Amino acid sequence: MTSQETLTYRELFKYMDGFLISKALFTASELGVFDLLQEMNAPLSANEISQKLNTSRHGIQRLLNIFESMQLLMSEKKSDTVYYHMNQTARKFLTKNSKETLVPWMKFYSHVVYACAHYSVPAVREGKPMTEKIFGDLNSEYFDAMYSSTEQTTIYLEFLNCAWNIFGDDVVTAFDLSSFKNICDIGGGSGALATKIISVYPESRITIFDLPKMIQGAKQCNLHVKDPRIYFQEGDFFQDPIPSADLYILARVIHVLPKEKCTELLRKVYEACNPGGAVLLVECILKESIDALLVNLLNFIMFLISKGGEHTEEEMTILLENAGFQDVEIKITGTYFDVMIGRKAFK
């Protein structure tokens, strides 16, 4: 075997084993391995961890070995006993009380994405999402699936809150939005992104316009924001009038909708938009480059769980222009989400 072939098969095995890494992270997160190390604030042995978490010692030991290999944990040996402690990356992203925790994101992937991925073969064969396999025939549509139970609603809302907590600042500062005082966040859920907007543009007033089950679910789970500058209005994007505003935000809404619904919604937004206003879209732009793997994986995830998908810059521009918006600008942030703005001319 040549050195090039060796490199190739190693890379392929790395990809093939990737799901095991995900599963190890999901398992440790659910069991609370990193939270325990954070809480104790001291190195612990495998035996101590297994006792406190009520697990098998050898199972925990194998998890710890994985995370040490990933350099998320470090070990030290004292009197023939190995003790483990976290590095800063694990402390910052893998403990639930950290401001930048990824724990809700991992829970969503574990309970929704990973479960749907089990049906990848029938999804590709049939060309349709697999949400009904997980959530039942009555919840085959994306939003019905996400709010199919109190537990699922909590998982979904906490995932969104996690995303905007980490990437919200990049989103709301991609363009200068200071001239827009009356803002409508369509599909804004619990208001997590709205709080980021208010923190940067404190003179703004924001209406969260979302499905009744979303807003009611957020309140029932006590996940909705409480700020007098943020108002919640229940409604259906397609059936009910959209509140008038200077700026509309659609963050990760377009990518769950089929193309014809994207066009319908954006045209409706354009009609409701005040002259001189704009629409801000937050999505993951499909790219033609060597670093396109992440967004292509996201595109496949959307295929598994919705009737939508990610779009290219050209496709997003066409969607906005066909709705009536002009002077479209796109910012590739270099982080997880990209941001687009389209403007409505003064009449």
Side-chain angles (χ1 to χ4, degrees):
M1 185 178 291
T2 66
S3 59
Q4 183 59 46
E5 288 174 331
T6 300
L7 178 63
T8 299
Y9 93 78
R10 284 179 176 170
E11 285 296 308
L12 288 174
F13 269 104
K14 187 169 114 179
Y15 292 141
M16 284 166 29
D17 292 340
F19 81 97
L20 292 171
I21 295 174
S22 300
K23 203 60 179 170
L25 284 168
F26 299 160
T27 301
S29 178
E30 187 168 333
L31 291 173
V33 172
F34 298 106
D35 292 324
L36 175 63
L37 289 168
Q38 172 79 350
E39 179 186 346
M40 302 306 294
N41 198 28
L44 298 176
S45 67
N47 190 54
E48 290 172 326
I49 294 173
S50 65
Q51 287 180 352
K52 290 182 182 297
L53 296 180
N54 194 28
T55 69
S56 66
R57 185 196 177 283
H58 62 278
I60 281 292
Q61 183 65 70
R62 297 188 188 198
L63 273 181
L64 296 175
N65 291 343
I66 292 172
F67 299 131
E68 186 175 15
S69 298
M70 294 171 64
Q71 298 182 332
L72 292 171
L73 294 181
M74 294 167 285
S75 67
E76 53 184 320
K77 195 171 185 179
K78 295 180 181 178
S79 303
D80 295 328
T81 301
V82 178
Y83 293 88
Y84 297 88
H85 60 99
M86 296 183 289
N87 69 4
Q88 283 302 109
T89 298
R91 195 177 300 275
K92 183 177 182 180
F93 296 112
L94 301 180
T95 57
K96 65 182 179 183
N97 292 325
S98 168
K99 291 182 179 180
E100 296 175 280
T101 181
L102 286 173
V103 169
W105 200 307
M106 288 192 289
K107 190 170 185 179
F108 178 78
Y109 267 43
S110 178
H111 286 253
V112 179
V113 177
Y114 196 91
C116 288
H118 180 72
Y119 298 96
S120 294
V121 172
V124 172
R125 280 181 175 155
E126 299 171 26
K128 66 178 186 178
M130 290 289 109
T131 44
E132 64 184 44
K133 300 288 187 182
I134 307 299
F135 300 100
D137 294 340
L138 296 177
N139 298 306
S140 59
E141 296 296 328
Y142 179 80
F143 288 115
D144 290 333
M146 294 305 101
Y147 314 127
S148 56
S149 68
T150 301
E151 180 186 10
Q152 179 54 47
T153 299
T154 301
I155 290 172
Y156 184 57
L157 289 173
E158 288 182 342
F159 159 63
L160 293 178
N161 290 358
C162 172
W164 303 133
N165 186 53
I166 296 173
F167 299 107
D169 289 334
D170 297 316
V171 166
V172 302
T173 58
F175 296 98
D176 182 4
L177 307 178
S178 59
S179 63
F180 305 111
K181 306 303 181 187
N182 181 14
I183 299 173
C184 180
D185 187 352
I186 296 180
S190 65
L193 184 57
T195 60
K196 292 291 184 179
I197 299 171
I198 289 294
S199 68
V200 178
Y201 308 104
E203 295 181 1
S204 299
R205 296 296 180 269
I206 303 175
T207 298
I208 306 293
F209 185 64
D210 212 330
L211 296 167
K213 62 176 64 178
M214 168 60 116
I215 292 176
Q216 292 168 13
K219 291 180 179 179
Q220 289 171 2
C221 301
N222 199 30
L223 291 171
H224 66 296
V225 300
K226 302 174 183 69
D227 188 303
R229 295 166 294 181
I230 299 174
Y231 169 73
F232 290 86
Q233 180 174 332
E234 298 179 3
D236 186 291
F237 309 159
F238 299 100
Q239 302 298 324
D240 299 315
I242 292 177
S244 64
D246 303 322
L247 175 70
Y248 293 87
I249 297 175
L250 285 82
R252 301 300 277 163
V253 172
I254 293 299
H255 78 142
V256 304
L257 302 174
K259 184 177 179 181
E260 63 274 11
K261 286 294 185 181
C262 294
T263 300
E264 180 183 347
L265 179 56
L266 287 172
R267 284 177 177 167
K268 195 172 179 181
V269 168
Y270 179 82
E271 292 301 319
C273 185
N274 294 331
V279 62
L280 192 81
L281 305 183
V282 183
E283 297 291 346
C284 297
I285 295 294
L286 282 172
K287 307 169 183 69
E288 296 180 2
S289 62
I290 58 173
D291 62 348
L293 177 59
L294 173 61
V295 71
N296 281 318
L297 288 172
L298 291 174
N299 199 29
F300 188 65
I301 288 172
M302 297 318 301
F303 170 70
L304 292 174
I305 65 177
S306 77
K307 294 178 181 178
E310 312 302 339
H311 299 81
T312 64
E313 288 191 40
E314 181 180 8
E315 289 169 339
M316 292 302 300
T317 301
I318 290 173
L319 279 173
L320 286 168
E321 290 180 344
N322 284 347
F325 292 100
Q326 58 190 41
D327 300 328
V328 175
E329 295 181 71
I330 298 178
K331 285 280 184 71
I332 304 298
T333 65
T335 60
Y336 204 85
F337 300 115
D338 303 308
V339 188
M340 295 127 269
I341 193 168
R343 303 179 186 276
K344 182 175 182 177
F346 286 99
K347 290 185 181 179

